[in-house]
Amino acid sequence: MDNFRNMALPNTSLLLFVLQMCALAWQAWALVDLRMEDTVEVYMDESAEIPCLYSFTEQPMMVMVQWFVQEREGHRVRISFSDLTMQKVDENTSYSDRISVQSNSDGETLTIQDVKLSDEREFFCQVSGLSAGSEEGKTLLKVFDPPEPPVIEGVLSGVSVSGESPAKIASCETREGFPKPNITWYRDHIPIHPTSGLANMVTLLTRESSGLYTVQSELHYKVTKEDKDAHFSCEVSYFVPGAVRTSESKGINITVHYPTTSVEIWKESPEGLVREGDTVELRCQGDGNPPAPIIFNREQSDVELDSSQGLLVLKEVSRADSGVYECHSLGLDAVNHDEVLDTLQLTVHYLDPAVVVPKDSEVMLKGESLTATCNALSSLETSTVWFKDGIEVGRGHIMQLQDATFDTAGQYDCEVTVPSLPGLLTSGFVHIIVQGAPQMKDAEREIELMEKVGGWVNLSCEVRGYPRPAITWSITGSQSQSWREVVKGEMEDQVYSVVMLKVTTDAVAVCNSTNDFGIETKTFSIRSIPFSQTPTARKTSVDNSGVIIVVIIVSILLLAILGSVFYFLYKKGKLPCGRSGKQEIINVYSTKEKTNKDDIVVEMKAKKTEESVLLKGVNGEQKPPNDQNSTLSS
């Protein structure tokens, strides 16, 4: 069998040679129409199909189709053969296991599996119909592999604007692409074209062992200060079957170094106006990069103030800290040290202690007028409010007191504030004393009273004046030992007194008040009613509620004293149960004297509020608990 095959191969070759020679003889009148694409494009690792279509003007007796490739060395290598009897892929070629041929009535199609970069070459299709004619065509197979996305990196150290020639500011790299990709640079999405002295690009092309290309590009650029906010990017353009595609990198910002051309100073805290005692922070910053050192000083002073990183802190400022502050840049590349500065006017506002005129206290006569002023030295406009006893009585720096009375007397407080700067406040006061003759309550009319013999009446006398008046009582018509002063109170310009009088006969009581400016009296007429007569109550203007209050107070005091004494004696065993007789009671309000209920005297010196309440309650009659009812009129 092997011998037969060995004999058949030379005979087949001889037959093909004879057929070819015959075909050449018939070419003069036989034609073949062969059609192939000029180029077939395919991605690497995919499959490529190369069609070879043909037709004859004369029906051939036999058709032979052969496929060839052009080797790098320039010679051809057959990779496939077919005729009417067989179709064969040639062995021992680089395509033996990667190609297949499909035939039909129109021609053949060569399919290449797992396309490689080395497959980018020309493929030849040779068709022979012997006497019907022969023809050859070719197709160039182009292989594509897209590169990786571009990677951009900026110069980390920064770029100075003072350089004389373009400096490297960034690099861009794209890896493993085929065919060779191209890199384009952009500034804020505007292409950068090579320009002498301004911009140029240095490109490095590397062919990897795989046959793919890696492209590296460096952008050399002469930066300016405006480039500090610009964004630079690179774009890769590459070919794919039937198109051109692009891939853009991220944008990067370049660190640009430039000199300081100006500085700015401002007050960082506190917000608003500055007052004495505040902590003030002044900030100064230049426009250079990197930031230049900053120093502070006062205007027309070469003394450098202590600051840190462009911040000057002034603690607990006073008005002496007001003035103009300067800040300077110390950058070595500053344009001009004398010009790179800025100034700030700092004003520290103040409010001095209030000054009140008249000072401390002022004495005025009743009926006089007085002008008082209150203000304080301040850097801003002030406002003054006057108070008396916590109640606002006026606004403005001047207070007018007209036609003074005893009610005018007292302490007047003034508060001075700065409306435009809350928190600034000072205050002062003036004490007003009004001098005048005694002024007695109800002194203009005589008070008439009626009481049965043996009864008690309360007589009250309230006087205002300055100096403080003295009160004396003169009583006629009754025994001198039949009356007692039970209440006495004093204030700065006021005094009052209450006496209890036992009625034995008709009597006249006179309250006398005197001071350095005069005298005033008040008269009480008491008519006694014998036991045989039925007392007729007369309506008077005396407030009977006062009588009731005094009676209650005296009764409570007596009961408390008696109860305490009895309890004490009982505890000591000196008071046996059922024992009769009177016990001697010690008046805790007297000084080691034994008294009966008729000897009780209460002397009071209280504040104005307590005195006022008590006076209202006792401006009339008051009787001990054991006495009969009495009537008081005023």
Side-chain angles (χ1 to χ4, degrees):
M1 187 67 181
D2 291 338
N3 292 332
F4 175 78
R5 288 179 179 176
N6 292 333
M7 294 176 62
L9 287 176
N11 293 334
T12 301
S13 300
L14 180 60
L15 178 61
L16 289 174
F17 176 76
V18 173
L19 290 174
Q20 287 177 352
M21 295 301 295
C22 293
L24 290 176
W26 288 91
Q27 282 181 352
W29 57 86
L31 295 177
V32 179
D33 181 18
L34 189 147
R35 299 179 303 279
M36 293 185 71
E37 297 180 6
D38 294 335
T39 303
V40 171
E41 297 180 343
V42 64
Y43 284 109
M44 188 175 71
D45 298 329
E46 293 187 356
S47 298
E49 293 183 350
I50 303 177
C52 179
L53 305 179
Y54 55 85
S55 62
F56 293 89
T57 58
E58 181 179 319
Q59 185 65 30
M61 297 175 57
M62 174 181 289
V63 178
M64 293 185 298
V65 179
Q66 299 181 85
W67 288 91
F68 298 88
V69 295
Q70 184 77 35
E71 291 290 347
R72 303 297 180 186
E73 295 79 7
H75 64 277
R76 291 184 180 185
V77 174
R78 195 183 74 176
I79 59 174
S80 176
F81 166 80
S82 64
D83 57 16
L84 295 177
T85 61
M86 61 181 298
Q87 184 175 15
K88 175 184 178 183
V89 174
D90 290 287
E91 298 178 352
N92 300 322
T93 69
S94 58
Y95 293 94
S96 297
D97 56 352
R98 291 195 298 123
I99 65 173
S100 61
V101 179
Q102 300 294 329
S103 300
N104 56 38
S105 59
D106 295 328
E108 290 187 354
T109 300
L110 174 66
T111 301
I112 306 172
Q113 305 290 337
D114 191 20
V115 173
K116 304 180 182 303
L117 293 182
S118 58
D119 294 332
E120 184 168 299
R121 60 181 67 186
E122 290 181 328
F123 289 79
F124 298 88
C125 177
Q126 189 178 88
V127 178
S128 176
L130 298 179
S131 61
S134 63
E135 190 62 69
E136 180 180 275
K138 64 180 180 179
T139 295
L140 175 62
L141 180 63
K142 296 187 67 67
V143 182
F144 298 89
D145 190 17
E148 296 177 359
V151 177
I152 187 172
E153 291 183 357
V155 176
L156 299 178
S157 60
V159 183
S160 175
V161 300
S162 59
E164 296 181 357
S165 59
K168 176 184 175 181
I169 66 170
S171 63
C172 180
E173 181 183 57
T174 181
R175 299 179 57 83
E176 298 182 344
F178 192 89
K180 181 191 73 172
N182 294 314
I183 294 179
T184 304
W185 286 94
Y186 291 84
R187 179 187 184 276
D188 291 335
H189 304 291
I190 299 176
I192 301 175
H193 301 288
T195 304
S196 177
L198 296 178
N200 59 66
M201 299 80 179
V202 178
T203 302
L204 176 63
L205 179 64
T206 303
R207 184 76 178 264
E208 306 290 346
S209 58
S210 61
L212 300 175
Y213 290 100
T214 294
V215 181
Q216 295 174 313
S217 177
E218 293 181 354
L219 174 61
H220 293 251
Y221 193 81
K222 185 171 177 57
V223 296
T224 63
K225 183 177 179 180
E226 289 70 24
D227 292 319
K228 65 185 179 64
D229 299 319
H231 287 83
F232 293 85
S233 61
C234 63
E235 180 186 76
V236 175
S237 59
Y238 54 93
F239 292 95
V240 294
V244 176
R245 294 181 181 174
T246 59
S247 176
E248 187 175 1
S249 72
K250 66 178 182 179
I252 62 171
N253 183 254
I254 303 300
T255 301
V256 180
H257 294 168
Y258 46 89
T260 300
T261 58
S262 66
V263 293
E264 180 184 6
I265 184 174
W266 69 92
K267 177 169 65 68
E268 196 163 77
S269 69
E271 296 183 358
L273 300 177
V274 178
R275 61 185 178 182
E276 286 189 320
D278 286 344
T279 295
V280 178
E281 294 183 353
L282 301 183
R283 174 75 68 178
C284 183
Q285 183 174 331
D287 63 349
N289 187 43
I294 297 293
I295 62 170
F296 292 86
N297 62 275
R298 298 284 293 269
E299 189 178 42
Q300 298 180 349
S301 174
D302 295 331
V303 178
E304 180 180 341
L305 301 177
D306 188 17
S307 62
S308 174
Q309 297 181 351
L311 180 65
L312 174 64
V313 179
L314 304 174
K315 296 183 178 180
E316 297 182 354
V317 294
S318 66
R319 67 194 71 181
D321 293 311
S322 296
V324 177
Y325 287 78
E326 297 179 345
C327 75
H328 302 262
S329 169
L330 292 182
L332 298 179
D333 55 355
V335 176
N336 188 325
H337 174 70
D338 294 333
E339 294 181 359
V340 183
L341 65 88
D342 193 17
T343 60
L344 172 72
Q345 173 67 51
L346 176 65
T347 301
V348 180
H349 296 285
Y350 57 88
L351 178 66
D352 285 345
V355 177
V356 184
V357 179
K359 185 178 181 182
D360 297 336
S361 64
E362 180 72 11
V363 178
M364 56 188 303
L365 295 176
K366 187 178 178 181
E368 286 186 341
S369 298
L370 175 71
T371 298
T373 62
C374 178
N375 205 347
L377 182 63
S378 175
S379 57
L380 297 169
E381 184 177 352
T382 59
S383 174
T384 302
V385 181
W386 293 87
F387 298 91
K388 183 182 181 187
D389 298 330
I391 300 175
E392 182 180 326
V393 295
R395 285 181 174 269
H397 302 309
I398 300 175
M399 180 181 65
Q400 297 284 351
L401 299 177
Q402 304 286 346
D403 192 16
T405 66
F406 291 131
D407 291 331
T408 307
Q411 179 169 306
Y412 293 81
D413 298 296
C414 65
E415 288 186 356
V416 182
T417 59
V418 178
S420 60
L421 188 54
L424 282 182
L425 181 146
T426 184
S427 62
F429 72 92
V430 59
H431 190 78
I432 301 298
I433 300 172
V434 179
Q435 291 184 338
Q439 179 179 320
M440 188 175 294
K441 183 178 181 181
D442 298 329
E444 66 277 0
R445 61 189 177 88
E446 182 178 346
I447 300 175
E448 296 181 358
L449 302 173
M450 294 181 62
E451 181 58 63
K452 67 181 179 179
V453 175
W456 293 81
V457 293
N458 296 321
L459 309 177
S460 64
C461 187
E462 181 180 348
V463 187
R464 297 190 71 180
Y466 193 88
R468 185 172 60 239
I471 292 180
T472 59
W473 290 88
S474 60
I475 300 175
T476 59
S478 292
Q479 298 177 3
S480 60
Q481 67 272 20
S482 63
W483 67 276
R484 294 286 186 273
E485 186 177 38
V486 294
V487 178
K488 184 177 182 181
E490 295 178 348
M491 290 191 301
E492 182 181 39
D493 62 353
Q494 188 174 355
V495 63
Y496 58 92
S497 175
V498 178
V499 298
M500 294 180 63
L501 173 65
K502 186 174 183 179
V503 178
T504 57
T505 62
D506 291 347
V508 175
V510 179
C511 174
N512 303 289
S513 61
T514 60
N515 67 4
D516 295 341
F517 290 89
I519 183 171
E520 190 165 26
T521 63
K522 180 179 181 181
T523 303
F524 298 87
S525 294
I526 301 97
R527 180 185 173 188
S528 62
I529 302 174
F531 283 108
S532 60
Q533 299 181 10
T534 301
T536 302
R538 298 178 56 191
K539 293 182 180 180
T540 67
S541 61
V542 178
D543 187 357
N544 290 330
S545 63
V547 177
I548 297 173
I549 294 174
V550 173
V551 171
I552 293 174
I553 293 173
V554 175
S555 299
I556 292 174
L557 290 175
L558 288 175
L559 290 175
I561 294 170
L562 289 173
S564 300
V565 172
F566 278 114
Y567 182 75
F568 176 75
L569 293 176
Y570 174 75
K571 285 294 184 179
K572 293 294 185 179
K574 295 181 180 183
L575 187 64
C577 181
R579 182 180 175 181
S580 63
K582 297 183 178 178
Q583 296 294 330
E584 185 175 345
I585 301 173
I586 301 175
N587 183 4
V588 297
Y589 291 89
S590 65
T591 58
K592 299 181 181 180
E593 291 184 10
K594 297 179 180 179
T595 63
N596 56 28
K597 66 179 180 178
D598 295 333
D599 295 329
I600 295 174
V601 177
V602 180
E603 180 172 341
M604 301 178 62
K605 291 186 179 181
K607 294 184 180 179
K608 182 175 180 181
T609 55
E610 298 172 350
E611 293 168 345
S612 301
V613 173
L614 186 55
L615 284 173
K616 292 180 180 179
V618 299
N619 189 18
E621 64 178 353
Q622 174 69 45
K623 293 185 291 185
N626 296 330
D627 290 330
Q628 302 295 321
N629 295 332
S630 61
T631 304
L632 179 145
S633 64
S634 60

